[in-house]
DNA sequence: ATGCCTAAATAGTTTAGA
């Protein structure tokens, strides 16, 4: 089972790039962020033609998250992050797919900091940590996938100097990310690649892609039962270099079959 | 301290992204 997360930076504008990647990478489940599309404008028909059924929560101009499943219906369990009824930004969607609870999340960027946007980011991540703890206590297999807008350590950024004041690398942002992990989750990319940078984002500005001046902002956090099934993980970085690309590249995990899972047996005739 | 890119919108400059 292959689960991927991809900040598409406008799912309508980026649809050809998305479809090409789906055909090549063949993920079973995809978490999308930054749809930047109102709910009715989501390209559900084009994705269905590609073999994916979808659940999504759109929003005009900004934000927006989706979960795609190949040949299966994602069963939505939550369409908002608990903890603030007044938060109407489309940043969280959660669905059950093939025995795994998958969350597609888009944490606030938080710039400029300090300020109200940074406070919203930290509060949002605190809500995520609380909810991540709730899911652990429910004992279900969980994958929290998305754009956390946090480079967790200095290894996750090409140079700390030019980003020193950025919300993505602040100690408070990193502590907020660690509090999610502390609920009992593992960082899948780092588990497989402890040393390699594994950037997932390269800014459009200043030839950051050509210079490989990236950041690792997109993460897949796994509950222990899912982590035990982790066979491989990676970043499809070449996607970032294509014409009309998003500024993010997809990150993915490959899971072994769940222990005790029913195997499909083809009857011989 | 700001520009640097990219994109959308009570658009023709402003706001947001990260």
């Amino acid at each position: 089972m292959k689960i991927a997360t991809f900040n598409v930076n406008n799912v309508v504008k980026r649809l050809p790039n998305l479809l090409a990647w789906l055909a090549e990478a063949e993920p079973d489940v995809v978490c999308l962020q930054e749809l930047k599309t109102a709910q009715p404008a989501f390209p559900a028909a084009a994705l269905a033609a590609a073999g994916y059924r979808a659940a999504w929560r759109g929003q005009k101009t900004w934000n927006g998250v989706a979960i795609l499943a190949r040949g299966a219906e994602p069963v939505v369990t939550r369409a908002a992050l608990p903890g603030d009824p007044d938060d109407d930004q489309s940043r969280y969607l959660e669905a059950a797919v093939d025995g795994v609870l998958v969350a597609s999340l888009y944490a606030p960027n938080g710039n400029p900091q300090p300020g109200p946007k940074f406070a919203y980011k930290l509060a949002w991540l605190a809500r995520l940590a609380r909810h991540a703890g709730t899911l652990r206590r429910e004992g279900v297999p969980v994958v929290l996938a998305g754009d956390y807008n946090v480079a967790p350590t200095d290894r996750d950024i090409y140079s700390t100097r030019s980003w020193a004041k950025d919300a993505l690398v602040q100690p408070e942002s990193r502590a907020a990310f660690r509090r999610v992990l502390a609920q009992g989750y593992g960082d899948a990319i780092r588990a497989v690649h402890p040393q390699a940078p594994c950037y997932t984002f390269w800014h459009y500005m200043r030839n950051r892609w050509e210079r490989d001046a990236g950041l690792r902002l997109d993460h897949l956090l796994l509950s222990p039962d899912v982590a035990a099934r982790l066979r491989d993980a990676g970043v499809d970085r070449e996607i970032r270099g294509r014409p009309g690309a998003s500024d993010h590249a997809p990150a993915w995990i490959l899971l072994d079959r769940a222990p005790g899972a029913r195997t499909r047996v083809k009857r011989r005739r």
Side-chain angles (χ1 to χ4, degrees):
Chain A
M1 185 185 194
K2 187 177 186 180
I3 304 176
T5 182
F6 186 13
N7 179 325
V8 281
N9 187 11
N10 194 325
V11 71
V12 172
K13 173 139 187 81
R14 223 68 65 186
L15 186 59
N17 299 61
L18 173 61
L19 291 173
W21 169 71
L22 287 174
E24 293 163 33
E26 299 190 323
D28 298 296
V29 182
V30 183
C31 298
L32 298 176
Q33 300 86 33
E34 281 210 86
L35 305 179
K36 292 187 170 179
T37 303
Q39 187 73 5
F42 183 82
L47 290 164
Y52 289 87
R53 287 196 254 177
W56 67 96
R57 194 181 154 204
Q59 182 180 329
K60 190 183 177 187
T61 309
W62 309 118
N63 310 318
V65 284
I67 297 174
L68 315 181
R70 191 160 59 143
E73 185 80 34
V75 179
V76 174
T77 51
R78 275 180 194 84
L81 185 62
D84 182 359
D86 296 330
D87 184 0
D88 56 0
Q89 299 190 23
S90 296
R91 295 183 177 275
Y92 188 87
L93 182 65
E94 185 186 291
V97 187
D98 198 14
V100 180
L101 197 68
V102 178
S104 177
L105 62 96
Y106 175 50
N109 171 281
N111 282 307
Q113 71 82 27
K117 292 191 172 186
F118 191 56
Y120 173 58
K121 173 186 191 140
L122 296 180
W124 197 94
L125 287 170
R127 284 164 59 201
L128 179 64
R130 207 170 308 132
H131 183 54
T134 301
L135 293 177
R136 285 287 291 116
R137 285 185 290 278
E138 287 175 2
V140 293
V142 180
V143 176
L144 303 174
D147 179 357
Y148 285 72
N149 266 317
V150 177
T153 72
D154 286 352
R155 191 182 295 284
D156 302 305
I157 179 168
Y158 67 99
S159 157
T160 51
R161 234 182 68 214
S162 60
W163 295 80
K165 291 186 176 175
D166 198 281
L168 304 179
V169 301
Q170 293 311 301
E172 298 95 322
S173 304
R174 289 174 166 178
F177 180 77
R178 285 196 300 271
R179 278 195 289 275
V180 182
L181 292 174
Q183 305 306 310
Y185 292 84
D187 179 339
I189 296 283
R190 273 289 164 260
V192 175
H193 305 283
Q195 302 294 328
C198 296
Y199 302 141
T200 64
F201 165 83
W202 297 259
H203 209 298
Y204 288 125
M205 294 194 285
R206 287 193 157 177
N207 297 316
R208 291 253 167 81
W209 165 247
E210 289 78 0
R211 294 163 43 213
D212 193 23
L215 291 83
R216 193 173 74 97
L217 305 179
D218 302 86
H219 312 296
L220 298 112
L221 304 194
L222 315 181
S223 61
D225 42 2
V226 179
R229 296 166 55 191
L230 184 62
R231 177 190 289 263
D232 200 6
V235 177
D236 291 341
R237 53 176 283 137
E238 73 281 1
I239 294 299
R240 175 62 181 82
R242 296 194 178 170
S246 166
D247 41 8
H248 292 250
W252 52 267
I253 57 172
L254 189 61
L255 301 180
D256 288 326
R257 194 185 308 277
R262 228 172 357 148
T263 52
R264 261 181 223 179
V265 180
K266 272 187 188 164
R267 190 164 296 181
R268 290 191 187 174
R269 46 171 300 178

